[in-house]
């Protein structure tokens, strides 16, 4: 964290898995110099109790991004494979909000739930949430062979219209549709350009969805790895879309990862 702040980072985000399973999460949040950056975390709401929320707020947590796969309890629990997952999410939202932490409903959209956008928004509004962030399934990891599950250009256009329509309202959660936000109309892909992902074992990747490592912070400074990443042919240039949605990028870098290789795969 200290090295990333020295490089100019202004947002430190703790991701998972489930961040609430870390007994030292409060200490990690407290370590972020709040005069230089804000601290946020992702969670399913599991174990985000009233006490934990108060501790995180006292440590300086700015925002909690609570993920929902469906605005409907039975469907969310089905996707998560656990009864009570929806109840945990809602309880986590309420506990974080009561502690004074900004709450963001984080929705990973797919062809299966994109028709529920209004329901997601209404639920977030009913719960008094501050933001609704919409991301997309990236065909990697368990989804590597399910590229048919990702959204298409028409869906991105639909998300753009939804974001603009909801943000015209004088009240209610603010909406960020990342497939549009990080598309050609606005900022393009952030990977290796505006953010970087450091895994729990120290491997440094352009983003959490790109299983390519440029080095390990246990072996060398983050600055050296960041500069190496920036000099790579793919990352020294801007790109209009998420690289992981680019068939040519996937063909050259993802589908050529040797079978049985350690993931993330270390680029030579």
């Amino acid at each position: 964290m200290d090295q990333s702040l020295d490089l100019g980072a202004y947002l430190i985000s703790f991701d998972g898995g489930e961040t609430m399973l870390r007994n030292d999460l409060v200490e990690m949040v407290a370590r972020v110099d709040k005069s230089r950056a804000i601290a946020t975390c992702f969670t399913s709401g599991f174990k985000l109790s009233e006490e934990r929320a108060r501790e995180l707020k006292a440590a300086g947590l700015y925002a909690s991004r609570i993920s929902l796969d469906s605005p409907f309890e039975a469907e969310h629990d089905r996707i998560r494979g656990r009864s009570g997952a929806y109840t945990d999410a809602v309880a986590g939202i309420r506990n974080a909000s009561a502690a004074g932490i900004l709450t963001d409903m984080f929705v990973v959209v797919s062809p299966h739930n994109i028709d529920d956008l209004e329901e997601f928004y209404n639920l977030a509004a009913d719960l008094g949430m501050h933001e609704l962030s919409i991301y997309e399934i990236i065909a990697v990891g368990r989804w590597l062979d399910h590229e048919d599950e990702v959204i298409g250009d028409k869906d991105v256009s639909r998300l753009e219209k939804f974001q603009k329509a909801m943000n015209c309202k004088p009240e209610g959660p603010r909406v960020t549709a990342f497939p549009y936000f990080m598309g050609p109309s606005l900022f393009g892909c952030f990977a290796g350009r505006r953010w970087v992902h450091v895994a729990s074992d120290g491997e440094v990747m352009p983003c959490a969805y790109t299983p390519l490592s440029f080095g390990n912070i246990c072996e060398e400074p983050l600055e050296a790895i960041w500069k190496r990443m920036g000099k790579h042919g793919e990352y020294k240039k801007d790109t209009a879309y998420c690289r992981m949605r680019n068939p040519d990028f996937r063909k050259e870098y993802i589908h050529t990862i040797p079978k049985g290789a350690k993931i993330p795969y270390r680029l030579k």
Side-chain angles (χ1 to χ4, degrees):
M1 287 188 288
D2 293 341
Q3 292 182 51
S4 65
L5 291 175
D6 289 341
L7 288 173
Y10 55 84
L11 167 64
I12 304 293
S13 187
F14 299 98
D15 205 343
E18 176 49 66
T19 54
M20 296 301 141
L21 292 177
R22 292 284 302 218
N23 293 326
D24 58 351
L25 179 62
V26 172
E27 288 77 10
M28 289 194 291
V29 170
R31 179 60 183 266
V32 178
D33 183 347
K34 308 310 185 301
S35 69
R36 304 170 71 186
I38 63 174
T40 71
C41 76
F42 288 82
T43 175
S44 67
F46 180 70
K47 288 194 173 183
L48 181 50
S49 64
E50 293 181 13
E51 180 182 5
R52 197 75 184 283
R54 289 194 296 267
E55 291 174 347
L56 287 167
K57 175 62 177 179
L61 187 70
Y62 177 78
S64 180
R65 308 184 187 280
I66 296 111
S67 57
L68 266 90
D69 296 317
S70 172
F72 308 111
E73 182 173 359
E75 179 62 8
H76 178 79
D77 286 0
R78 184 194 69 79
I79 294 171
R80 294 278 162 157
R82 181 176 68 85
S83 178
Y86 181 90
T87 300
D88 284 343
V90 172
I93 290 167
R94 288 177 171 152
N95 293 337
S97 181
I101 299 170
L102 183 146
T103 55
D104 174 23
M105 182 182 289
F106 197 81
V107 175
V108 179
V109 76
S110 74
H112 301 295
N113 65 3
I114 195 168
D115 290 334
D116 298 331
L117 292 175
E118 291 280 354
E119 287 78 5
F120 276 118
Y121 182 88
N122 291 337
L123 176 60
D126 290 343
L127 291 169
M129 300 188 74
H130 304 89
E131 296 183 356
L132 170 62
S133 294
I134 303 170
Y135 211 78
E136 61 184 308
I137 287 176
I138 306 296
V140 68
R142 290 184 300 168
W143 293 96
L144 186 60
D145 297 321
H146 296 273
E147 295 184 46
D148 57 328
E149 298 286 336
V150 302
I151 60 174
D153 292 339
K154 289 184 178 179
D155 297 317
V156 175
S157 178
R158 180 176 177 181
L159 293 176
E160 174 188 353
K161 293 176 182 177
F162 180 76
Q163 173 182 312
K164 292 178 178 178
M166 296 302 102
N167 288 346
C168 283
K169 295 184 176 184
E171 297 179 348
R174 300 299 88 184
V175 175
T176 302
F178 281 93
Y180 161 64
F181 189 75
M182 297 192 297
S185 300
L186 293 177
F187 294 101
C189 185
F190 280 19
R193 304 283 293 174
R194 289 183 166 89
W195 64 29
V196 66
H197 180 75
V198 182
S200 58
D201 60 358
E203 296 292 329
V204 181
M205 295 166 276
C207 77
Y209 307 97
T210 307
L212 302 173
S213 172
F214 283 82
N216 192 297
I217 59 170
C218 299
E219 301 169 2
E220 57 184 327
L222 180 60
E223 181 177 10
I225 303 171
W226 175 250
K227 287 182 177 179
R228 181 182 305 122
M229 189 181 298
K231 292 178 181 178
H232 188 275
E234 277 293 336
Y235 294 98
K236 67 181 180 182
K237 60 185 180 183
D238 289 323
T239 183
Y241 294 95
C242 168
R243 288 175 175 83
M244 290 296 289
R245 291 179 63 193
N246 184 334
D248 293 333
F249 177 87
R250 296 179 68 89
K251 181 179 179 180
E252 182 170 356
Y253 296 103
I254 306 303
H255 296 312
T256 57
I257 295 177
K259 187 175 181 179
K262 180 180 180 294
I263 298 296
Y265 181 68
R266 183 77 67 88
L267 289 179
K268 306 301 181 184

